[in-house]
Amino acid sequence: MGTLTVTAKGQVTLRKDLLDHLGVHPGDKISIEKLPGGRVEVKAAQPTGKISDAFGLLKGKTNGRSLSIEEMNEIIADGWAGKR
């Protein structure tokens, strides 16, 4: 474990190894829960979207044709890699 420095604005910066441990990347959210005794719990925030938010995600990108499994897998892989 280490220590973090609080800036004059009351901000702290989490080290890269901590962010990696949480599995968060630039733009992701982190949730903080206050616990008794002046302790806090830091976790990667869980997405709050609904499955229906994904409906129509590919609409307009296929020019009216069906995608092959390989094309779908490529799109999924790019999404996980943060390329989309």
Side-chain angles (χ1 to χ4, degrees):
M1 191 71 112
T3 59
L4 303 173
T5 302
V6 179
T7 68
K9 294 182 178 182
Q11 300 172 334
V12 294
T13 300
L14 297 179
R15 293 184 316 270
K16 184 177 181 334
D17 65 314
L18 293 174
L19 297 174
D20 290 343
H21 180 72
L22 291 171
V24 297
H25 303 92
D28 289 349
K29 304 283 185 192
I30 295 175
S31 68
I32 309 286
E33 183 178 339
K34 292 190 268 183
L35 301 174
R39 297 174 43 201
V40 296
E41 180 177 75
V42 179
K43 297 189 289 187
Q46 297 297 317
T48 57
K50 305 176 299 260
I51 189 67
S52 61
D53 293 342
F55 296 167
L57 184 65
L58 300 176
K59 189 176 185 176
K61 298 182 188 283
T62 62
N63 297 324
R65 66 178 181 81
S66 297
L67 293 175
S68 69
I69 296 296
E70 292 78 18
E71 290 171 313
M72 288 183 213
N73 286 337
E74 183 179 330
I75 291 168
I76 292 166
D78 286 351
W80 277 105
K83 295 179 183 177
R84 291 185 183 252

